[in-house]
Amino acid sequence: MELAMIGLGKMGMNMATRLVRGGHRVVGFARTAATVKEAETFGIKGAHSLEEAVSKLKPPRIVWVMVPAGQTTYDTIEKLSNLLGNGDILIDGGNSNYKDSIRHAAMLEPKGIDFLDCGTSGGIWGISEGYSLMIGGKPEVAERMRPIFETLAPAADKGWGRVGPHGAGHFVKMVHNGIEYGMMQAFAEGFSILRAKEEFGLNLAQVSHIWQHGSVVRSWLLDLAARALDEDSKLSGIKPWVADSGEGRWTVFESIDLDVPAPVITLALQMRFASRDEENFSARMLAALRNQFGGHALKKAE
């Protein structure tokens, strides 16, 4: 099959490359000429505009969008809606809010353009390990895209599937990322406790490798933790500042809207906020209050 990959960031580039290796013809568009040139070294056909990317496809055309969620995705889909037509398919493989995906499907439907929202997980390792794909949209449209999904997934019959109507793919990916927040926070806290028990002199990398085999907590995240600890057992070269890309927040919002308790995911999100607070005024206030009511000692700022 042939398709255009719109957005050649690290993940988009890797996905396009995996598709090319799987025998698909891929046209790649990026905003910078240097990125397009790099893509061409992987067998991707370069395009320097959305118009050029679409023009290099034969109808019915397939366009996969991998750009930042929010306004950028909306603007890209809106422009493509004027370049594509009846029978074409547009797939949003980014991290869009599922509500936006429902709106995008409704916007494209009057023009006869089919839409799939595809939650995509796999990160930088997906090019070799394959991607987990959670797809929302019409079942017959998802089935038409089977060759593409089978190529991107870890195996033809594993790691991908249509999970529901428009929006469902990105909804499932949103919750997936919320779970990821909680799992990451648990590993972070556990290794912090191990490190704090100084009298045992624990080798955290060794512990992580022991847990990789036979343990109920063995996982890909643990494998990545082991890899990080092998590289730097004290993680001394990393600033303790953790970003969130949106999905964790959206998961928490949904838990509130649906009256479903999600304390672990919510706290994991809050801990990411705490990591960014170099001033940490709340901790200063706690220390001041303890001093005021109990005379407890204060540590003065330098």
Side-chain angles (χ1 to χ4, degrees):
M1 300 182 75
E2 68 169 12
L3 72 154
M5 181 67 69
I6 306 301
L8 294 174
K10 186 63 176 179
M11 195 161 177
M13 183 80 79
N14 285 353
M15 293 176 72
T17 301
R18 185 176 174 91
L19 287 167
V20 168
R21 292 174 180 174
H24 300 278
R25 178 179 181 272
V26 181
V27 177
F29 164 71
R31 291 179 297 175
T32 63
T35 302
V36 174
K37 185 176 181 180
E38 179 187 359
E40 291 175 336
T41 66
F42 298 113
I44 301 165
K45 306 299 180 182
H48 297 276
S49 68
L50 292 178
E51 291 81 0
E52 183 182 359
V54 172
S55 72
K56 289 187 174 183
L57 300 175
K58 298 177 182 178
R61 295 162 293 191
I62 305 166
V63 176
W64 189 301
V65 175
M66 286 294 290
V67 300
Q71 192 63 43
T72 302
T73 294
Y74 174 82
D75 291 344
T76 302
I77 291 177
E78 184 179 41
K79 291 176 183 177
L80 286 168
S81 71
N82 296 316
L83 299 173
L84 300 174
N86 187 56
D88 293 336
I89 297 174
L90 193 154
I91 305 169
D92 178 7
N95 283 324
S96 293
N97 187 297
Y98 78 96
K99 296 177 181 176
D100 289 342
S101 296
I102 293 172
R103 286 192 286 268
H104 294 156
M107 177 177 71
L108 296 170
E109 187 173 14
K111 298 187 177 184
I113 304 170
D114 286 309
F115 178 80
L116 295 175
D117 51 285
C118 181
T120 307
S121 181
I124 60 174
W125 299 95
I127 187 172
S128 57
E129 302 294 328
Y131 297 90
S132 176
L133 306 170
M134 299 142 264
I135 303 153
K138 297 176 182 177
E140 64 272 18
V141 178
E143 182 61 29
R144 284 172 57 193
M145 296 298 98
R146 174 179 285 273
I148 292 173
F149 297 139
E150 288 182 341
T151 301
L152 289 173
D157 59 345
K158 295 179 181 178
W160 74 276
R162 175 191 175 269
V163 297
H166 295 127
H170 281 149
F171 184 83
V172 172
K173 176 56 162 52
M174 175 193 74
V175 176
H176 161 283
N177 281 29
I179 294 170
E180 181 183 284
Y181 276 42
M183 293 174 66
M184 292 172 68
Q185 184 65 30
F187 276 122
E189 293 175 8
F191 280 108
S192 293
I193 295 169
L194 293 173
R195 183 172 182 270
K197 196 67 172 176
E198 295 179 355
E199 61 265 38
F200 283 169
L202 297 170
N203 182 322
L204 301 190
Q206 179 197 25
V207 171
S208 68
H209 287 299
I210 291 172
W211 287 354
Q212 283 180 296
H213 305 282
S215 167
V216 296
V217 301
R218 64 186 184 274
S219 63
W220 188 45
L221 280 177
L222 178 60
D223 294 342
L224 296 177
R227 185 170 181 265
L229 290 167
D230 283 339
E231 294 174 355
D232 180 0
S233 62
K234 295 183 179 180
L235 305 181
S236 55
I238 301 174
K239 184 177 181 180
W241 193 101
V242 187
D244 73 287
S245 55
E247 297 91 336
R249 298 186 187 210
W250 300 338
T251 304
V252 172
F253 296 159
E254 287 295 324
S255 75
I256 295 170
D257 289 343
L258 297 171
D259 295 329
V260 176
V264 172
I265 295 174
T266 302
L267 183 57
L269 174 64
Q270 294 294 329
M271 291 303 294
R272 294 196 178 197
F273 298 156
S275 76
R276 307 169 205 172
D277 186 7
E278 295 182 4
E279 172 66 21
N280 204 343
F281 183 81
S282 62
R284 294 172 189 261
M285 178 58 75
L286 286 172
L289 289 171
R290 290 184 77 248
N291 175 259
Q292 290 294 325
F293 73 71
H296 299 288
L298 289 171
K299 290 187 178 182
K300 299 292 186 180
E302 297 180 0

